Amino acid sequence: QVQLVESGGGLVQAGGSLRLSCAASGSTYRIDVIGWYRQAPGKQRELVATISSGGRTNYADSLKGRFTISRDNAKNTVYLQMNSLKPEDTAVYYCYAHTQRTVLAREADYWGQGTQVTVSS
């Protein structure tokens, strides 16, 4: 089992920056991919960015260049640095983790509770 807790959301003006954090606990050694998704009102949840255990990153094309994902393995924490924020970035941001299957556990997806990011114009 993996638990994910986000923090850092809030209200920011367009053009501003925000840094989200996601602290993972539990069977963190099984995580092979961790990152962020977001869901705006009336929209489906969409990929923001992920980072693999090997350090490979994946971004939504529309966000590449403005958002940066990173991780601190010692702290089991992943970050999302969001710059040049736009009103359309307003959404609930969810931390996500995928765990590999092992001899003792199935692969699984885990989600945090979400943190609200609101960008005002």
Side-chain angles (χ1 to χ4, degrees), residues 22-71:
C22 173
S25 60
S27 302
T28 57
Y29 65 92
R30 296 178 56 220
I31 297 174
D32 61 345
V33 176
I34 191 167
W36 298 89
Y37 286 70
R38 70 184 185 184
Q39 188 166 23
K43 302 293 184 179
Q44 294 188 21
R45 193 170 298 186
E46 64 178 356
L47 168 74
V48 175
T50 60
I51 185 168
S52 72
S53 59
R56 178 173 294 179
T57 57
N58 184 39
Y59 295 90
D61 288 341
S62 62
L63 303 179
K64 192 177 300 183
R66 294 195 298 120
F67 288 15
T68 303
I69 189 169
S70 62
R71 68 188 303 172

Side-chain angles (χ1 to χ4, degrees), residues 1 9 11-12 18 21 31 34 38-39 42-43 50 59 65 104 119 121:
Q1 291 290 308
L11 176 65
V12 64
L18 210 58
S21 299
I31 297 174
I34 191 167
R38 70 184 185 184
Q39 188 166 23
K43 302 293 184 179
T50 60
Y59 295 90
L104 297 176
V119 184
S121 61

Side-chain angles (χ1 to χ4, degrees), residues 24 28 71-77:
T28 57
R71 68 188 303 172
D72 185 335
N73 292 328
K75 297 181 178 180
N76 291 316
T77 300

